[in-house]
Amino acid sequence: GAVVSQHPSWVICKSGTSVKIECRSLDFQATTMFWYRQFPKQSLMLMATSNEGSKATYEQGVEKDKFLINHASLTLSTLTVTSAHPEDSSFYICSAAGPAKPQHFGDGTRLSIL
Amino acid sequence: RKEVEQDPGPFNVPEGATVAFNCTYSNSASQSFFWYRQDCRKEPKLLMSVYSSGNEDGRFTAQLNRASQYISLLIRDSKLSDSATYLCVVNPGSQGNLIFGKGTKLSVKP
């Protein structure tokens, strides 16, 4: 089956640090990648949708200058949390979809900002 | 009204029990529907898609009622390994994004 790799799986860093999370589709071309965030005991919330080669579309309330998304190739999208603060601590999950391919999720990245 | 609503539970049931989860969605134009399973601190995994005609996969049966904007999941003969959070998920349109419910927590006890 389709595999989506997300890295790193766990990050702990100081407040003010920028953190980059990678999402790779290993065996199919992901024309669209989605970034979700899940706070404890909450549902997954879509942050942004990115199509390869174009700018990401952000959901209402998500700061595009804080959460930088790059989808430069059909197999890689990155999310950079710039100047992260404790309130950004969350579980970040990417998913990838391609032609005739439903969404497949990465393993998620647990981000803890001290 | 939230886009996708579920009873958060927890549902605590003995092994072998039958348990049913319900979900309602607000967007009548939603196009596709799913149940996902999420284990603690893990990514969600697709359990099954949900169709108006109803569909069954082993011990799992899913139903969709478009008129009532209601989705259900029935688990028969519960196993300990069924313990997880079950997420009701709706695709509202052609963009491909998914709207997740908060999930219903199931705990199957021996």
Side-chain angles (χ1 to χ4, degrees):
Chain A
V3 178
V4 175
S5 171
Q6 190 173 336
H7 176 81
S9 56
W10 198 296
V11 180
I12 302 174
C13 56
K14 292 181 180 179
S15 185
T17 307
S18 291
V19 179
K20 180 186 279 189
I21 303 170
E22 291 187 350
C23 181
R24 293 179 186 273
S25 60
L26 299 183
D27 57 355
F28 69 99
Q29 294 186 326
T31 48
T32 306
M33 285 189 171
F34 304 89
W35 287 95
Y36 295 86
R37 179 168 57 182
Q38 185 178 32
F39 291 108
K41 299 190 178 182
Q42 300 294 315
S43 59
L44 276 82
M45 296 298 294
L46 180 67
M47 298 176 67
T49 302
S50 74
N51 293 297
E52 184 265 338
S54 59
K55 288 184 178 179
T57 302
Y58 289 80
E59 295 299 301
Q60 193 172 13
V62 179
E63 299 176 57
K64 63 179 182 180
D65 294 330
K66 182 168 181 65
F67 299 98
L68 302 178
I69 291 172
N70 184 286
H71 190 171
S73 78
L74 285 169
T75 59
L76 174 65
S77 176
T78 61
L79 167 67
T80 301
V81 184
T82 60
S83 187
H85 290 94
E87 59 267 28
D88 298 322
S89 299
S90 188
F91 188 48
Y92 292 83
I93 306 177
C94 72
S95 71
K101 283 276 189 187
Q103 284 193 44
H104 291 272
F105 287 86
D107 292 339
T109 297
R110 193 158 298 279
L111 176 63
S112 296
I113 308 297
L114 306 177
Chain B
R1 184 181 172 185
K2 293 177 183 174
E3 292 194 72
V4 179
E5 289 204 65
Q6 293 180 252
D7 180 345
F11 284 57
N12 298 308
V13 303
E15 265 188 297
T18 295
V19 60
F21 304 140
N22 303 319
C23 167
T24 56
Y25 61 95
S26 61
N27 185 346
S28 60
S30 296
Q31 297 188 355
S32 48
F33 311 87
F34 311 90
W35 283 101
Y36 277 72
R37 170 193 168 130
Q38 187 176 25
D39 292 289
C40 188
R41 295 173 176 260
K42 298 284 189 182
E43 80 282 11
K45 292 185 188 295
L46 179 64
L47 181 66
M48 59 198 305
S49 300
V50 189
Y51 305 111
S52 297
S53 55
N55 48 307
E56 187 174 314
D57 182 2
R59 299 181 292 109
F60 300 84
T61 301
Q63 293 275 358
L64 166 65
N65 184 321
R66 282 190 183 269
S68 303
Q69 295 176 212
Y70 173 94
I71 304 162
S72 66
L73 176 68
L74 183 76
I75 305 176
R76 290 181 298 278
D77 188 23
S78 303
K79 311 291 184 192
L80 296 177
S81 57
D82 293 334
S83 297
T85 296
Y86 290 83
L87 305 171
C88 177
V89 183
V90 174
N91 181 341
S94 59
Q95 297 302 311
N97 60 297
L98 300 176
I99 308 295
F100 287 81
K102 277 193 174 183
T104 299
K105 187 171 182 180
L106 172 66
S107 181
V108 181
K109 307 290 186 185

